[in-house]
Amino acid sequence: MGTLKPLVDKLREEQTLTHDEFVRLFTDRNPEDSEYMRALAQETAVANYGHDIFLRGLIEFTNYCRNDCYYCGIRRSNDKAERYRLSDEEILECCAIGYSFGLRTFVLQGGEDMTYRDEPFCELIREIKRRYPDCAVTLSVGERPRGTYEAYYEAGADRYLLRHETSSPEHYAKLHPSGLTIENRKRCLKDLKDIGFQIGAGFMVGSPYQTYDYLAEDFEYLKELEPHMIGIGPFIHHKDTPFADMPDGSCEETLYCLSILRLMFPRVLLPATTALGTIDPLGREEGIRHGANVIMPSLSPKDVREKYLLYDGKICTGEEAAECHACLEGRIARIGYIAVSSRGDHADWKRK
Ligand code: SAH
């Protein structure tokens, strides 16, 4: 054993560490202690969820975006991005296909496309809930006024994903143009939680200028926020962004962060993300071995997949929804887990 075992034990017992201890987890990490933490994280996930993996059908319904985040391939200034927007009928067709596979959560994700304000977007949410009352609807459409979030919730949306990206104002300013602030992100996440959504926050691992101090701040902020879901994945460069020449985040560091998060939040819903599967062909399987318990097969129509390109090399862009779903079920089964057909709500959540 290396020198970190007492810290890992403390993390498991107290579910948090001091700032300096979080930093030490990174500066002093070594293969033996990483494996020790991984095993504890996997054991914790199994103790809480058995070998169940929840599936979420991801519908990338628009790549129009008003924002200009330096890392993202669908940023407003990328005029090489070919823009698209699915019609309501196309979105409902994605849901129908997903439902036939047994999916019971639909995640509507897109850029901050301002054609989707309150109505008629709320009417689409109501229609999905009318057709599939046994399904959860998750939204991931960025920063909106509180009143809009309230309207989405009243229309029937259950969950909202909004990664905080980095909790440090200084780091946030290096990843985003000046109109975007961490204060507003945090305001959005707080509003979403108050309104009654199950919320998902998270960050990129190895994003440009990230330091271990910033990562420690991310863990501290998450402890304070207590989200129901946490989405993390490696930063991967996109050739038509200001960060085209920045190094990618690593699989190893992302897996290490997943294990830390599982020990901090034994019951949190923790996806093994597409970015993790992109940086390493077996990244998502490794994610599950490190404590993740959610996978998000894409339901997006094949002809738009390569247009929803947040980063270079994104996997599964040439696949139909059925192939994507079958592939992921196979991957889950091969490592001894079960892809379950249920909404997979967080244990502590009830709709207000
Ligand atoms: N517009 C929505 C959805 C954003 S896409 C929103 O603002 O929430 C979802 C996530 O992809 C982002 O939150 C970001 O963390 C991640 N992402 C964007 N560009 C990326 C890149 N180049 N590499 C890895 N992840 C990226």
Side-chain angles (χ1 to χ4, degrees):
M1 281 291 162
T3 51
L4 288 178
K5 186 172 178 292
L7 268 195
V8 175
D9 287 334
K10 180 180 173 193
L11 178 61
R12 175 169 64 164
E13 269 149 45
E14 300 181 13
Q15 295 168 20
T16 194
L17 294 174
T18 66
H19 181 90
D20 292 345
E21 288 170 336
F22 276 126
V23 171
R24 261 193 65 211
L25 278 186
F26 289 92
T27 53
D28 297 2
R29 74 185 193 271
N30 61 78
E32 297 79 40
D33 292 327
S34 299
E35 172 52 24
Y36 178 66
M37 184 159 73
R38 183 208 66 73
L40 286 183
Q42 186 178 26
E43 190 184 298
T44 303
V46 171
N48 284 282
Y49 289 104
H51 288 81
D52 288 357
I53 300 297
F54 299 116
L55 299 182
R56 318 305 198 185
L58 180 63
I59 305 170
E60 295 146 332
F61 71 99
T62 173
N63 70 352
Y64 283 88
C65 193
R66 64 171 166 174
N67 287 336
D68 225 7
C69 310
Y70 301 143
Y71 45 85
C72 184
I74 64 169
R75 64 200 300 268
R76 185 185 64 220
S77 306
N78 181 11
D79 46 26
K80 293 200 182 132
E82 209 185 306
R83 305 288 166 173
Y84 75 93
R85 191 178 277 136
L86 298 183
S87 67
D88 288 4
E89 291 66 38
E90 287 171 314
I91 295 170
L92 288 163
E93 179 59 20
C94 293
C95 296
I97 292 170
Y99 194 86
S100 76
F101 300 154
L103 299 177
R104 295 297 177 265
T105 293
F106 303 122
V107 182
L108 270 55
Q109 187 178 85
E112 287 191 23
D113 182 346
M114 286 302 116
T115 59
Y116 299 95
R117 292 175 200 260
D118 299 20
E119 297 296 342
F121 192 52
C122 285
E123 186 45 32
L124 173 66
I125 298 168
R126 283 190 287 270
E127 184 57 28
I128 297 173
K129 296 295 283 195
R130 270 194 293 270
R131 293 191 190 186
Y132 309 105
D134 53 336
C135 292
V137 169
T138 304
L139 300 179
S140 178
V141 292
E143 298 181 10
R144 309 276 162 153
R146 183 179 174 123
T148 300
Y149 289 150
E150 283 165 350
Y152 293 161
Y153 193 73
E154 276 158 35
D158 303 282
R159 311 185 187 137
Y160 204 100
L161 306 178
L162 183 69
R163 290 189 180 175
H164 66 283
E165 312 297 359
T166 176
S167 156
S168 149
E170 189 182 81
H171 189 208
Y172 202 92
K174 292 184 174 165
L175 301 180
H176 303 95
S178 61
L180 295 171
T181 63
I182 185 61
E183 288 74 24
N184 198 47
R185 279 265 142 160
K186 289 183 174 175
R187 189 277 301 163
C188 290
L189 282 159
K190 188 174 176 305
D191 283 349
L192 289 161
K193 197 174 188 195
D194 288 348
I195 291 165
F197 285 100
Q198 291 172 70
I199 59 162
F203 55 89
M204 290 177 286
V205 179
S207 62
Y209 314 108
Q210 188 174 61
T211 63
Y212 295 138
D213 270 309
Y214 292 155
L215 273 176
E217 286 180 44
D218 287 322
F219 293 123
E220 291 165 322
Y221 169 64
L222 289 169
K223 199 76 228 182
E224 185 186 307
L225 178 68
E226 274 207 81
H228 307 85
M229 308 169 282
I230 300 173
I232 66 164
F235 161 75
I236 305 175
H237 71 278
H238 184 295
K239 60 181 182 354
D240 303 314
T241 63
F243 289 164
D245 297 325
M246 292 291 187
D248 294 341
S250 77
C251 184
E252 182 267 332
E253 200 160 281
T254 306
L255 296 171
Y256 197 69
C257 288
L258 282 173
S259 293
I260 294 173
L261 290 169
R262 174 53 71 206
L263 294 180
M264 289 177 71
F265 305 98
R267 301 183 72 84
V268 80
L269 293 153
L270 195 61
T273 54
T274 307
L276 186 54
T278 298
I279 207 79
D280 185 298
L282 290 176
R284 286 170 300 178
E285 288 88 331
E286 281 301 315
I288 293 171
R289 289 184 63 250
H290 286 74
N293 70 328
V294 172
I295 293 254
M296 299 170 68
S298 172
L299 287 173
S300 306
K302 191 174 167 176
D303 58 315
V304 304
R305 285 191 187 203
E306 58 198 23
K307 298 179 188 155
Y308 198 82
L309 224 52
L310 310 180
Y311 46 80
D312 287 346
K314 189 177 170 206
I315 51 171
C316 314
T317 49
E319 287 182 7
E320 297 284 1
E323 293 170 74
C324 214
H325 183 258
C327 163
L328 284 173
E329 281 205 324
R331 285 172 183 264
I332 292 166
R334 279 195 293 280
I335 55 168
Y337 282 75
I338 312 149
V340 297
S341 193
S342 76
R343 281 175 48 124
D345 287 304
H346 191 281
D348 302 336
W349 181 82
K350 272 258 155 344
R351 184 169 254 284
K352 277 190 196 165

